[in-house]
Amino acid sequence: MNLPRFSVRHIVPVNLMMAAVLVAGVISAITLRRQFFPEVKPSGAIIRLILPGASPEEVEDNLAIKVEDAVAGLREVDEIRSNLTEGGGTIEVTFHDEIDDIAGAVDEVERTVDALQDLPEEAEDIQVFEVEHQLPVIMLLAYGDVDEEVLKRTARNIRDDLRSLPRMGEVSLGGVRDYELAVEPDTSELVRHGISLPEVSAAVSRWLVDVPGGSLRSAGSTVGIRTLGVPEQGSAIRDIVIRAMPDGEVITVGDVATVSETFVDSPIRIRYDGKPAANLTVSKIGSQDIVLMARMVRAYVNGRRGEPLEASGLDNLINPTVKEAWTLGHAQRGTLPEGVNVDTMTDLARFVEGRLSLLTENAFYGAILVFLTLLLFLNWRAAFWVGIGLVTAMCGTLVVMQLLDVTLNLLTMFGLIIVIGLLVDDAIVVCENIQARSDRGEAPFDAAINGARQVQWPVVATVLTSIVAFLPLMFIKGMVGDLMGALPLVVAIALAMSLLECLGMLPGHM
């Protein structure tokens, strides 16, 4: 098809197409997913080992080496790294770059591990997970000169609120110690009653376990029977019977030990503004929009403090979840314990917002400078339509990015910033040639068609040369390839849209 002729002879559908691209581009700019980096496909598996009470050396000898030897023989496996601690550890398995079916490779690792037979009886079931790349987005803190229990309870309530919001990622609690039930036997009481430490330990373990008891069938249904263990509470554990005497006397855990509900003895200390703090880290683990997640967290904090919502009316219309987060926080603004405050820090979404702002400013000022330059050397018509072409090419790029599920991230925005200066080059060449033929007295329709056709193939070659220069980045394997592959793709889309605009729309407008 002769694009310049079609553009000149059918200007109405061309204008309708341009209007559609501009409208769709604005919608895509608003709704396009924003991330810190391009999505990276999983490249391995995590094997979790649990051997209660064992030293790292015992975990290595009894579990880790056996698992490593079994997994190392799989053709999908490229590298194995183990990290062992007291009571267990993890083994990270990395697959070869050419493996595309990651889920199948993880299943193969899981089947291999499940087939192991000579494992310690006290070892818990080995768990195999697909590696999920988590990217921290923003951190929220609850801080104040209060008891650790108060901070932890407040942070858990905030975590539950954030998890209830739609399109929110993973919210993990940190900076506080886990709860612990401590049973501290009294040596003198053990000796007096003739009870050993293993006997106490076995009694507690036995009473905490749920025991299946079969099933009861009736005409209408089948009911499972299970004996429930005692609740994991200090009062219940104190009443566990260790030994029953012939005279009817029973010896309980509370008789020979002190049972206390406390925190795990680990050196965790986080301070914010000089005060003890508990932190919540919001991470992206799926296809969430990190800018939207960060805005929801900020809105929730503002509502919890009783501060107004910072987002504008347009933002509220586009992203109603931000207003929902603020409303949720505002409804609980008076429920913070005395002396506890909330704040945000480590807001990585600010980098993406800053790059978006830079991209918008570059496009705006670039269009103005292009218009003024063309107005100085050519005329107002050429300046106007080349400027409109720049906007059209950018909008078309955003539309295609959304169709291909390419996100706005630091690398794709970097590509767009690079390509802004290239988008008008082909349009300037076509526009100037049309103007030159018109100045020599050629009829406007003929000047538009012949002027565009005369430089059509040189312009195509120029655009293709720029695309090919970036193309090798798409063939890099592994995580680096996943990251860098988005850059040439965006550059190619933008240059292709500018070529379509300058040959299929600009001649008709000129």
Side-chain angles (χ1 to χ4, degrees), residues 263-281:
F263 291 99
V264 174
D265 186 16
S266 59
I268 297 178
R269 297 290 185 272
I270 292 182
R271 304 185 74 82
Y272 181 74
D273 196 20
K275 300 175 182 177
N279 69 284
L280 292 168
T281 303

mmCIF file of all heavy atoms in Angstrom, residues 263-281:
data_model
loop_
_atom_site.group_PDB
_atom_site.id
_atom_site.type_symbol
_atom_site.label_atom_id
_atom_site.label_comp_id
_atom_site.label_asym_id
_atom_site.label_seq_id
_atom_site.Cartn_x
_atom_site.Cartn_y
_atom_site.Cartn_z
ATOM 1 N N PHE A 263 8.754 -13.618 74.477
ATOM 2 C CA PHE A 263 9.254 -13.479 73.112
ATOM 3 C C PHE A 263 10.516 -14.311 72.932
ATOM 4 O O PHE A 263 11.229 -14.596 73.887
ATOM 5 C CB PHE A 263 9.586 -12.004 72.809
ATOM 6 C CG PHE A 263 8.375 -11.119 72.734
ATOM 7 C CD1 PHE A 263 7.993 -10.340 73.816
ATOM 8 C CD2 PHE A 263 7.614 -11.056 71.583
ATOM 9 C CE1 PHE A 263 6.885 -9.523 73.753
ATOM 10 C CE2 PHE A 263 6.503 -10.240 71.499
ATOM 11 C CZ PHE A 263 6.132 -9.469 72.587
ATOM 12 N N VAL A 264 10.770 -14.665 71.676
ATOM 13 C CA VAL A 264 11.990 -15.406 71.357
ATOM 14 C C VAL A 264 13.205 -14.571 71.744
ATOM 15 O O VAL A 264 13.238 -13.356 71.535
ATOM 16 C CB VAL A 264 12.027 -15.739 69.844
ATOM 17 C CG1 VAL A 264 13.353 -16.385 69.473
ATOM 18 C CG2 VAL A 264 10.868 -16.643 69.475
ATOM 19 N N ASP A 265 14.188 -15.233 72.322
ATOM 20 C CA ASP A 265 15.396 -14.535 72.771
ATOM 21 C C ASP A 265 16.329 -14.295 71.577
ATOM 22 O O ASP A 265 17.245 -15.074 71.314
ATOM 23 C CB ASP A 265 16.102 -15.365 73.851
ATOM 24 C CG ASP A 265 17.290 -14.620 74.448
ATOM 25 O OD1 ASP A 265 17.368 -13.385 74.243
ATOM 26 O OD2 ASP A 265 18.131 -15.264 75.102
ATOM 27 N N SER A 266 16.054 -13.240 70.835
ATOM 28 C CA SER A 266 16.896 -12.889 69.688
ATOM 29 C C SER A 266 17.150 -11.386 69.723
ATOM 30 O O SER A 266 16.268 -10.597 70.080
ATOM 31 C CB SER A 266 16.230 -13.280 68.366
ATOM 32 O OG SER A 266 14.974 -12.633 68.225
ATOM 33 N N PRO A 267 18.360 -10.955 69.331
ATOM 34 C CA PRO A 267 18.741 -9.532 69.458
ATOM 35 C C PRO A 267 18.192 -8.683 68.309
ATOM 36 O O PRO A 267 18.909 -8.302 67.392
ATOM 37 C CB PRO A 267 20.271 -9.587 69.440
ATOM 38 C CG PRO A 267 20.578 -10.792 68.606
ATOM 39 C CD PRO A 267 19.483 -11.788 68.871
ATOM 40 N N ILE A 268 16.888 -8.386 68.334
ATOM 41 C CA ILE A 268 16.279 -7.524 67.319
ATOM 42 C C ILE A 268 15.979 -6.166 67.955
ATOM 43 O O ILE A 268 15.223 -6.084 68.931
ATOM 44 C CB ILE A 268 14.979 -8.140 66.771
ATOM 45 C CG1 ILE A 268 15.273 -9.473 66.068
ATOM 46 C CG2 ILE A 268 14.298 -7.180 65.798
ATOM 47 C CD1 ILE A 268 14.040 -10.163 65.553
ATOM 48 N N ARG A 269 16.574 -5.135 67.426
ATOM 49 C CA ARG A 269 16.339 -3.792 67.931
ATOM 50 C C ARG A 269 16.224 -2.830 66.749
ATOM 51 O O ARG A 269 17.171 -2.666 65.979
ATOM 52 C CB ARG A 269 17.494 -3.334 68.849
ATOM 53 C CG ARG A 269 17.658 -4.166 70.115
ATOM 54 C CD ARG A 269 16.505 -3.927 71.099
ATOM 55 N NE ARG A 269 16.735 -4.641 72.348
ATOM 56 C CZ ARG A 269 16.364 -5.892 72.573
ATOM 57 N NH1 ARG A 269 15.755 -6.574 71.621
ATOM 58 N NH2 ARG A 269 16.607 -6.475 73.727
ATOM 59 N N ILE A 270 15.081 -2.225 66.575
ATOM 60 C CA ILE A 270 14.874 -1.219 65.530
ATOM 61 C C ILE A 270 14.391 0.054 66.206
ATOM 62 O O ILE A 270 13.471 0.022 67.034
ATOM 63 C CB ILE A 270 13.840 -1.691 64.481
ATOM 64 C CG1 ILE A 270 14.401 -2.861 63.688
ATOM 65 C CG2 ILE A 270 13.461 -0.566 63.542
ATOM 66 C CD1 ILE A 270 13.483 -3.362 62.601
ATOM 67 N N ARG A 271 15.022 1.171 65.848
ATOM 68 C CA ARG A 271 14.621 2.457 66.414
ATOM 69 C C ARG A 271 14.374 3.432 65.275
ATOM 70 O O ARG A 271 15.059 3.414 64.244
ATOM 71 C CB ARG A 271 15.701 2.995 67.355
ATOM 72 C CG ARG A 271 16.067 2.048 68.472
ATOM 73 C CD ARG A 271 17.043 2.663 69.456
ATOM 74 N NE ARG A 271 16.418 3.648 70.323
ATOM 75 C CZ ARG A 271 15.740 3.358 71.418
ATOM 76 N NH1 ARG A 271 15.607 2.093 71.793
ATOM 77 N NH2 ARG A 271 15.212 4.299 72.161
ATOM 78 N N TYR A 272 13.376 4.269 65.470
ATOM 79 C CA TYR A 272 13.034 5.295 64.487
ATOM 80 C C TYR A 272 12.752 6.581 65.257
ATOM 81 O O TYR A 272 11.944 6.581 66.198
ATOM 82 C CB TYR A 272 11.804 4.882 63.674
ATOM 83 C CG TYR A 272 11.400 5.885 62.629
ATOM 84 C CD1 TYR A 272 12.137 6.039 61.457
ATOM 85 C CD2 TYR A 272 10.282 6.693 62.805
ATOM 86 C CE1 TYR A 272 11.768 6.958 60.499
ATOM 87 C CE2 TYR A 272 9.901 7.608 61.849
ATOM 88 C CZ TYR A 272 10.650 7.744 60.700
ATOM 89 O OH TYR A 272 10.275 8.659 59.745
ATOM 90 N N ASP A 273 13.437 7.634 64.863
ATOM 91 C CA ASP A 273 13.320 8.906 65.577
ATOM 92 C C ASP A 273 13.702 8.726 67.048
ATOM 93 O O ASP A 273 13.126 9.354 67.943
ATOM 94 C CB ASP A 273 11.892 9.456 65.454
ATOM 95 C CG ASP A 273 11.808 10.928 65.829
ATOM 96 O OD1 ASP A 273 12.862 11.603 65.801
ATOM 97 O OD2 ASP A 273 10.705 11.407 66.170
ATOM 98 N N GLY A 274 14.672 7.815 67.294
ATOM 99 C CA GLY A 274 15.154 7.589 68.644
ATOM 100 C C GLY A 274 14.246 6.753 69.512
ATOM 101 O O GLY A 274 14.505 6.609 70.714
ATOM 102 N N LYS A 275 13.197 6.145 68.941
ATOM 103 C CA LYS A 275 12.236 5.378 69.728
ATOM 104 C C LYS A 275 12.130 3.958 69.174
ATOM 105 O O LYS A 275 12.356 3.739 67.978
ATOM 106 C CB LYS A 275 10.862 6.056 69.686
ATOM 107 C CG LYS A 275 10.875 7.483 70.238
ATOM 108 C CD LYS A 275 9.524 8.146 70.065
ATOM 109 C CE LYS A 275 9.561 9.600 70.570
ATOM 110 N NZ LYS A 275 8.274 10.285 70.357
ATOM 111 N N PRO A 276 11.774 2.985 70.028
ATOM 112 C CA PRO A 276 11.580 1.616 69.546
ATOM 113 C C PRO A 276 10.529 1.574 68.444
ATOM 114 O O PRO A 276 9.527 2.313 68.486
ATOM 115 C CB PRO A 276 11.120 0.860 70.799
ATOM 116 C CG PRO A 276 11.623 1.673 71.945
ATOM 117 C CD PRO A 276 11.583 3.103 71.502
ATOM 118 N N ALA A 277 10.731 0.709 67.460
ATOM 119 C CA ALA A 277 9.836 0.680 66.303
ATOM 120 C C ALA A 277 9.617 -0.742 65.830
ATOM 121 O O ALA A 277 10.441 -1.634 66.049
ATOM 122 C CB ALA A 277 10.412 1.531 65.166
ATOM 123 N N ALA A 278 8.479 -0.956 65.173
ATOM 124 C CA ALA A 278 8.180 -2.179 64.425
ATOM 125 C C ALA A 278 7.891 -1.758 62.994
ATOM 126 O O ALA A 278 7.223 -0.744 62.763
ATOM 127 C CB ALA A 278 6.972 -2.901 65.022
ATOM 128 N N ASN A 279 8.414 -2.498 62.034
ATOM 129 C CA ASN A 279 8.279 -2.078 60.648
ATOM 130 C C ASN A 279 7.449 -3.058 59.838
ATOM 131 O O ASN A 279 7.447 -4.269 60.095
ATOM 132 C CB ASN A 279 9.654 -1.903 59.995
ATOM 133 C CG ASN A 279 10.378 -3.206 59.787
ATOM 134 O OD1 ASN A 279 10.906 -3.763 60.750
ATOM 135 N ND2 ASN A 279 10.417 -3.709 58.569
ATOM 136 N N LEU A 280 6.754 -2.529 58.840
ATOM 137 C CA LEU A 280 6.011 -3.322 57.864
ATOM 138 C C LEU A 280 6.595 -3.018 56.493
ATOM 139 O O LEU A 280 6.661 -1.856 56.088
ATOM 140 C CB LEU A 280 4.524 -2.965 57.891
ATOM 141 C CG LEU A 280 3.740 -3.353 59.151
ATOM 142 C CD1 LEU A 280 2.380 -2.673 59.159
ATOM 143 C CD2 LEU A 280 3.559 -4.857 59.210
ATOM 144 N N THR A 281 7.034 -4.041 55.783
ATOM 145 C CA THR A 281 7.604 -3.872 54.454
ATOM 146 C C THR A 281 6.596 -4.341 53.417
ATOM 147 O O THR A 281 6.167 -5.499 53.447
ATOM 148 C CB THR A 281 8.910 -4.662 54.304
ATOM 149 O OG1 THR A 281 9.833 -4.249 55.313
ATOM 150 C CG2 THR A 281 9.527 -4.422 52.934
#
